[in-house]
Amino acid sequence: MQHPHGCPFKNVLPKQDPDVFCVSKDPNRPCFMAGDDRTNENQGLTSMHTLWLRQHNRIAKELSRITNFDAARIFQETRKIIGAQLQVITYNEFLPLILGEQTIKDFDLMLLKGKTFFKGYKTDVNPSIFSGFAVAAYRFGHSLIQDEFRRFSQEGFQCQYCNHEKDEFFSIPMKDFGNPFYLYEKCEGGIDSIFRGLVKNAAAKADENFPVLSKKTCSGVLATCQT
């Protein structure tokens, strides 16, 4: 896909028509499609979907180079690797911060070490999460969202298409969370600048107060709008 202003950018997600989570009035900057209907809810979420798509394609390309697998086998093997990488991040980095190291040990949530493989998989176990967790317990995550996404360039980054150098770009306000415009702005860092902001800018403190937009400023992101 070519940037509308001539700035090159990396691969992005497939495009789709505007939906309940996405507001795009520019046909050159369409909404994105992924495995989750909420992909366009905010730029951080869209960036994460894009990152894993790129990682998937990178691994698939490498498997194609070093094996004789057909396309179906390459897809399944890549899917397996991506799932494992997500598990490592979730169990080694995210859950210990949320639950605490002791809880991880008490409930045996630690990943197996070395070349040991898990032997307890059961095909008759429903892998779905409990409704109570989905609709109540995990909603604490909404309170972690800041009211804007800050975006940063690499240190000393020279934007050759913009003819100037900046360390921090304009932040994305919450009222624009459903707008894909910023993801196409290679001249202001695109998705990479959003990831730098997510890494550099700490999450909000967990509490019972979720960031909510007024109906006048929700920009179509209905999941976070007051009624």
Side-chain angles (χ1 to χ4, degrees):
M1 184 179 291
Q2 178 64 34
H3 191 283
H5 299 304
C7 297
F9 53 59
K10 302 173 185 176
N11 292 333
V12 294
L13 295 166
K15 66 180 182 179
Q16 71 171 12
D17 295 330
D19 57 24
V20 67
F21 292 115
C22 179
V23 178
S24 177
K25 298 180 180 179
D26 186 345
N28 290 318
R29 296 181 174 89
C31 302
F32 297 103
M33 178 174 61
D36 191 326
D37 290 339
R38 299 164 295 181
T39 299
N40 296 285
E41 184 180 273
N42 65 68
Q43 291 82 2
L45 184 59
T46 309
S47 297
M48 188 62 68
H49 277 285
T50 305
L51 175 72
W52 285 105
L53 173 71
R54 292 174 179 173
Q55 174 69 341
H56 172 279
N57 291 345
R58 186 190 70 81
I59 293 172
K61 183 180 294 186
E62 183 64 13
L63 287 177
S64 178
R65 185 184 69 83
I66 64 176
T67 71
N68 294 319
F69 297 160
D70 60 21
R73 175 76 182 276
I74 288 176
F75 174 79
Q76 293 299 336
E77 293 296 330
T78 302
R79 182 172 181 265
K80 187 187 303 181
I81 294 171
I82 291 293
Q85 292 176 332
L86 280 167
Q87 287 178 339
V88 168
I89 294 171
T90 301
Y91 284 86
N92 283 356
E93 300 181 30
F94 181 66
L95 288 181
L97 291 175
I98 302 301
L99 303 176
E101 296 286 352
Q102 190 58 50
T103 301
I104 295 294
K105 294 178 181 179
D106 291 345
F107 288 88
D108 195 22
L109 297 176
M110 295 176 291
L111 293 179
L112 300 177
K113 302 295 184 181
K115 296 183 179 180
T116 302
F117 293 95
F118 179 68
K119 304 294 185 180
Y121 179 76
K122 298 179 180 179
T123 58
D124 59 342
V125 173
N126 186 343
S128 303
I129 61 176
F130 290 110
S131 296
F133 175 81
V135 303
Y138 200 48
R139 295 310 94 198
F140 83 89
H142 288 177
S143 70
L144 304 179
I145 301 174
Q146 295 282 8
D147 58 2
E148 65 178 11
F149 282 126
R150 297 176 66 187
R151 300 183 295 158
F152 294 90
S153 69
Q154 291 181 335
E155 184 178 0
F157 175 76
Q158 179 68 40
C159 183
Q160 57 181 322
Y161 297 100
C162 302
N163 297 318
H164 63 268
E165 179 178 323
K166 293 189 293 185
D167 290 326
E168 182 171 359
F169 305 123
F170 289 112
S171 297
I172 303 173
M174 183 180 288
K175 67 182 181 66
D176 272 351
F177 271 16
N179 187 350
F181 173 87
Y182 301 92
L183 300 167
Y184 290 98
E185 286 303 287
K186 176 59 179 175
C187 290
E188 292 206 354
I191 289 173
D192 290 356
S193 70
I194 294 174
F195 273 120
R196 295 188 195 105
L198 291 173
V199 172
K200 188 177 180 68
N201 199 32
K205 184 178 180 180
D207 53 41
E208 297 180 356
N209 300 311
F210 299 165
V212 179
L213 301 175
S214 68
K215 193 171 184 180
K216 292 182 179 180
T217 60
C218 67
S219 297
V221 191
L222 301 184
T224 54
C225 289
Q226 293 176 336
T227 57

